[in-house]
Amino acid sequence: MENTRVQLIRKLKNSGMQNKLVFVFLLASFLGYSQKKDNSKMPKIKPKEVFVAELMSKMTIEEKIYQTVQFTSDGTITGPKSGDNYISRIQQGKVGSVLNATGAKATREIQRINLENSRLKIPLLFGQDVIHGFKTIFPINLGMASSWDPKAVELAARIAATEASAAGVHWTFAPMVDISRDPRWGRVSEGSGEDSFLGIQMAVANVKGFQGDDLSKNNTILACTKHFAAYGAAEAGRDYNTVDMSERVLRETYLPAFKATVDAGVKTFMTSFNEISGVPSTANKFLIRDVLKGEWNFNGLVVTDYTGINEMVAHGFAADDKQAGELAMNAGVDIDMVGGIFMNNLKKSFEEGKVSLEQIDAACKRILDVKYDLGLFEDPYRYCDEKREQATTNKPEFLEASLEVAKKSLVLLKNNNHILPLNTNQKIAFVGPLVSDEFNIIGSWAALGDRNGFATSVKEGVANYLKNTANVTFDQGVEIKSNNRDGIQKALDNAKNADIIVAVMGEGENMSGEAGSQTNIDLPGLQKEFLSELKKLGKPIVLVVLNGRPLTLSWENENMDAILEAWWPGTRGGDAIAQTLFGANNPNGKLSMSFPRNVGQLPIYYNHKNTGRPYLGKSDPEQKYKSRYTDADNSPLYPFGFGLSYTTFEYSNLKLSSDKIKFDEKLKVSIELKNTGNYDGQEVVQLYIRDLVGSVTRPIRELKGFEKIEIKKGETKTVSFEISSEDLKFYNLDMKHTAEVGDFDVFVGGSSDADHQASFQLIK
Ligand code: BGC
C-alpha cells in the first residue's frame, strides 16, 4: 500500500498533474486516519470508569501523588532545570510522566524500568514538544496559519503524530493557541498570529490532526492546548512578562481558541508562565477550576509549564515551594512539569490539611484516564515498535506533504512590475546569508527534524528546479548576524553580471521562539547594508525573507522590487521557495499577523478600537489632536490577511440577502470574484463585520469568515457566507455573551483592508 502511494505521487508529478491533486491525495490518505486498531492481540480490560476506580482503590496516597510528577529526560532541554536523575526517580516509582524522551528503543527501556518498579504496573506517559512536525518538519505555525487552510494544518499535525507516535511519544505539547499582537515576542512563531477567528480554525485543525478520531490507535497522540492563558500578551513582548487585562478582553480575544479545542475534544491543557492581573496562571483558580474545568467542562488533565509552580515564589505569589504546590493543586493543576514540588511537598501539605484527598484523587484520576484512553494499560509498549519507527520516519509522502504545506504558507508581499515569477532564461544572482542554509530553514523548535544534510536549502531547491544551473550564482555575502564583510565583494561581483538578484535573508532560527524576545526586529547584522550595496548595482532585487516573526521591512518595501515572506518553511522549504520564485507555485498565503512599520507601533493588530479621536489619514482635515503618531502612519506596513498572487483578482457585486435580520435568522452575504490576471490562482476571500454601536465599544473590524478558493484565469466565481446573531455576540456591559440590536457593516475582500462594504441591521 505504502509503495503504491509513493508511486502514485511520483506518477502524478511526472505527468505534470497539478500540485492540488497531490495535496488532495495526501489529505485523503492521512486524514482518513486509515490506521486500523488491532484489538485482537490486546488483553481485554474493564471499562475506564471501573478500571481506574479499581486501580485507585489500591493506590497509596504517595502513589497517587507520584502520578502528578513529571521529569525531563537528559535529551532535549527546554527549560532552566534539567536532568534531575530522572531514572533513579523512576526506579523509586516516583514519576508519572517523562518529558523529552523519544525513540522506540529508548522509551521501551524507560517504560521497562518503570514497570519493573511500579507496584501496580502503571505505565509512564512520554511527552515531547512536537510543534510543527516531528522528523518531517512543516513550516513554523505562524507560517502554516498564513496558509489559511485548516486542512493543510490538520494534515501536518496528522503526519507529525504518525511519526512521533512511532518513536514512542504519547503526548505533544501543542497546539500553542496564544493570540499574539506583538512580534517582539519570540514565541509568535509558535502560534497562529493575532486573530481569534483564524486561531480557532488552526487550533481545532491541530487537535484533530494529533488526536485523530480514536486515541487508542497507535498513530494518534494526546494534544495539549497551551499556554493557558494570555501568554501572548506579555507586556512589551518580553517573554515571561506580566499580563494585565480585563476579563472582557480575555474572554473575547484570548480564550476562544482555548475553548474551541475543549469542544474539539483536546485531552490536555498547559498553564502559562505569566501572571494575569496579579495571579500567576499556574495557580489561577478562576482560569483552571472555574472556567476550564467548570464552565467548559474540560475532563482532561492540566499540566503546568516547565517549573511553573516553582516560579510562583519569584512571582511573589507563594512564600516557598510547598505553598506554591498547594496553590497550584488547589487551583486545579494535575501535573507538575519538572518542578519536583508535588513530589517533595504534596504529602506533607495533605497531612497538614492544606490539600485535600479529594483534590489529589481528582488529579490522579484525570492522569490515569488519559493513560487508559491511549491504551497504555492494555499495552504499555504499543508506541515502542522500532520497526514501525523506521518505516514511518520521513516517508516520501510525508516529505511531499511538507512541500505542499510550505507552498501554501508563503506570502507575496510585493511584486512590482510583475517581476516575479522569474524567467529561467535570466541570469540570476542568488545571494544572502540564508541562500545555502539547511539549518535555520526548518525553524526553531523543530523537534527531531534533521537539518544539515537533509533539509532542502534554497540553493538546492533552485538546482532541483532548474536542473541546469549555468545561469545562476550563489553567494552568501554576509552572515546572519556578524560584522564580517569578507564575502560582500565577491557577491557584488557576481551580482553585477546578473539580470536580477534574489536575496535570501532573515533571522537565525534561535532568534525567535521561547526566550527569543527582541526590541529590534529589523533584518539583523549587516544584511540591510548588504542590500543597499546590491541596490547600487541598479538591478531588480527580489527579497526572500526567512524568519520566525513579522519583521520591520519599511526600507525593504521601498527599495526592493519584490518581497516573498517564506517564514521558516520546513524540511522541503528550499523546494517550496524555488518552485514559487519560478512560478510553478502561485503564492496564495495571507498574513496571519500584521507587519509593523517600526517597533514604536507595537502592539499592532487590525481589530483595534476606533477611539474618540480616530485619525482618518493624510486627508483628515484635523491633523493634530487625533489618535495618531506624528512621525509614522497608524497603519501597518502590511495588514493582517494581506498577500499578493501572480494573478490579480477583482471583487464585485457584494450582496446581502436582506438589510435586516432577526436573532434567529441568517443573512447570506455573497460576492463575485474574477481572476483578471494571467495565471490560475487561489484567493482567500475574507469577511469582516463591524458592530457600529454597542453597550461596550466594538473593534473597527472582526474576521467572521473566510474561504480559500481556486480560480482559473479569466474565471469568475461567487463566494457566499452566512452570518447569524451567533457571529455577532460579544461580552456586553453585564459580561453576558450576547448580540445587541443595531447597525452592522460588512466588509469582504482579500485582506483586513477589504473595501467592499454593505450594511444590515440586527432587529428583535
Ligand atoms: C515551554 C512549553 C513547553 C515546555 C516543555 C517550556 O519552556 O514554555 O511551551 O511545552 O517547555 O518543553
Side-chain angles (χ1 to χ4, degrees), residues 399-622:
L399 295 169
E400 200 60 35
S402 122
L403 169 62
E404 292 309 318
V405 177
K407 289 197 293 200
K408 289 166 176 282
S409 304
L410 308 184
V411 187
L412 183 64
L413 298 176
K414 182 176 178 185
N415 193 18
N416 264 13
N417 304 321
H418 300 285
I419 189 175
L420 287 175
L422 299 171
N423 178 338
T424 46
N425 299 322
Q426 286 167 307
K427 279 182 139 183
I428 310 168
F430 285 89
V431 298
L434 290 159
V435 74
S436 313
D437 173 273
E438 295 174 1
F439 182 85
N440 295 286
I441 196 155
I442 68 169
S444 55
W445 223 331
L448 269 63
D450 295 316
R451 295 177 186 263
N452 292 334
F454 190 75
T456 325
S457 66
V458 174
K459 179 178 178 180
E460 202 182 333
V462 169
N464 289 343
Y465 185 81
L466 289 180
K467 313 275 189 306
N468 176 355
T469 53
N471 267 343
V472 295
T473 55
F474 299 95
D475 288 288
Q476 207 176 305
V478 295
E479 286 156 11
I480 295 174
K481 198 178 178 182
S482 84
N483 290 325
N484 185 352
R485 292 185 165 76
D486 294 351
I488 296 186
Q489 197 49 53
K490 182 172 165 269
L492 290 176
D493 290 343
N494 276 331
K496 250 181 237 156
N497 298 322
D499 302 315
I500 184 165
I501 300 165
V502 178
V504 186
M505 302 197 163
E507 298 185 288
E509 56 88 34
N510 60 356
M511 296 174 74
S512 56
E514 186 173 354
S517 295
Q518 295 201 169
T519 59
N520 180 340
I521 53 172
D522 287 344
L523 279 177
L526 298 176
Q527 297 186 60
K528 211 191 267 189
E529 180 184 318
F530 180 34
L531 277 182
S532 50
E533 289 300 315
L534 289 162
K535 172 90 181 156
K536 288 182 197 152
L537 301 176
K539 317 260 170 179
I541 310 179
V542 175
L543 174 65
V544 177
V545 207
L546 283 91
N547 48 342
R549 54 154 65 82
L551 296 174
T552 36
L553 298 174
S554 293
W555 182 89
E556 291 78 358
N557 184 54
E558 260 169 46
N559 291 284
M560 301 293 108
D561 298 277
I563 303 179
L564 181 68
E565 171 56 67
W567 312 108
W568 297 118
T571 306
R572 297 287 305 277
D575 284 317
I577 292 170
Q579 292 181 21
T580 307
L581 290 174
F582 288 104
N585 173 51
N586 189 352
N588 52 82
K590 298 276 187 176
L591 292 179
S592 44
M593 227 179 142
S594 308
F595 273 49
R597 294 173 188 278
N598 61 48
V599 286
Q601 289 184 309
L602 300 177
I604 190 165
Y605 48 97
Y606 81 94
N607 49 354
H608 58 83
K609 299 290 184 71
N610 202 36
T611 81
R613 294 188 179 191
Y615 177 53
L616 306 177
K618 296 210 168 67
S619 59
D620 196 329
E622 177 62 85

Side-chain angles (χ1 to χ4, degrees), residues 192-242:
S192 296
E194 73 187 46
D195 183 64
S196 305
F197 186 89
L198 182 63
I200 286 173
Q201 323 301 318
M202 297 302 155
V204 169
N206 268 302
V207 171
K208 281 193 197 161
F210 287 130
Q211 294 194 168
D213 55 3
D214 179 355
L215 267 177
S216 73
K217 287 178 182 168
N218 69 359
N219 66 349
T220 53
I221 60 178
L222 299 167
C224 180
T225 307
K226 71 186 188 186
H227 305 86
F228 196 53
Y231 185 29
E235 277 176 8
R238 201 181 75 212
D239 211 356
Y240 318 119
N241 205 4
T242 308

Side-chain angles (χ1 to χ4, degrees), residues 78 99 129 173 187 226-227 270 273 305-306 337 445 514:
T78 50
L99 158 71
D129 293 278
F173 301 115
R187 302 197 79 167
K226 71 186 188 186
H227 305 86
M270 185 187 292
F273 288 124
D305 205 345
Y306 205 107
M337 182 187 277
W445 223 331
E514 186 173 354

Side-chain angles (χ1 to χ4, degrees), residues 192-389:
S192 296
E194 73 187 46
D195 183 64
S196 305
F197 186 89
L198 182 63
I200 286 173
Q201 323 301 318
M202 297 302 155
V204 169
N206 268 302
V207 171
K208 281 193 197 161
F210 287 130
Q211 294 194 168
D213 55 3
D214 179 355
L215 267 177
S216 73
K217 287 178 182 168
N218 69 359
N219 66 349
T220 53
I221 60 178
L222 299 167
C224 180
T225 307
K226 71 186 188 186
H227 305 86
F228 196 53
Y231 185 29
E235 277 176 8
R238 201 181 75 212
D239 211 356
Y240 318 119
N241 205 4
T242 308
V243 174
D244 200 331
M245 68 169 56
S246 69
E247 188 181 334
R248 179 172 291 109
V249 172
L250 181 70
R251 284 188 183 269
E252 225 166 82
T253 303
Y254 289 86
L255 295 190
F258 287 95
K259 164 80 161 60
T261 63
V262 174
D263 295 342
V266 74
K267 284 287 172 185
T268 81
F269 251 61
M270 185 187 292
T271 56
S272 58
F273 288 124
N274 56 285
E275 64 164 70
I276 305 184
S277 311
V279 182
S281 300
T282 315
N284 200 314
K285 186 177 158 299
F286 162 74
L287 278 178
I288 309 172
R289 249 191 222 298
D290 302 349
V291 176
L292 176 63
K293 292 184 172 178
E295 272 176 48
W296 299 349
N297 210 12
F298 171 67
N299 62 11
L301 68 83
V302 175
V303 62
T304 68
D305 205 345
Y306 205 107
T307 60
I309 302 182
N310 317 52
E311 290 168 27
M312 289 197 292
V313 176
H315 272 291
F317 193 72
D320 53 27
D321 283 358
K322 180 168 156 293
Q323 192 198 2
E326 290 156 7
L327 288 165
M329 172 71 44
N330 288 331
V333 162
D334 303 307
I335 294 185
D336 169 5
M337 182 187 277
V338 186
I341 289 185
F342 284 175
M343 179 180 79
N344 292 327
N345 303 289
L346 215 51
K347 168 101 184 297
K348 188 147 188 275
S349 302
F350 163 69
E351 286 163 355
E352 289 172 0
K354 305 253 171 65
V355 166
S356 68
L357 178 61
E358 197 191 346
Q359 271 166 19
I360 295 171
D361 273 351
C364 178
K365 179 177 181 314
R366 283 171 186 263
I367 297 161
L368 297 176
D369 276 353
V370 302
K371 290 185 176 181
Y372 183 101
D373 291 340
L374 285 168
L376 293 178
F377 287 109
E378 287 175 319
D379 177 6
Y381 299 109
R382 77 186 333 178
Y383 290 66
C384 310
D385 174 348
E386 281 178 73
K387 276 200 195 123
R388 181 162 83 95
E389 181 178 25

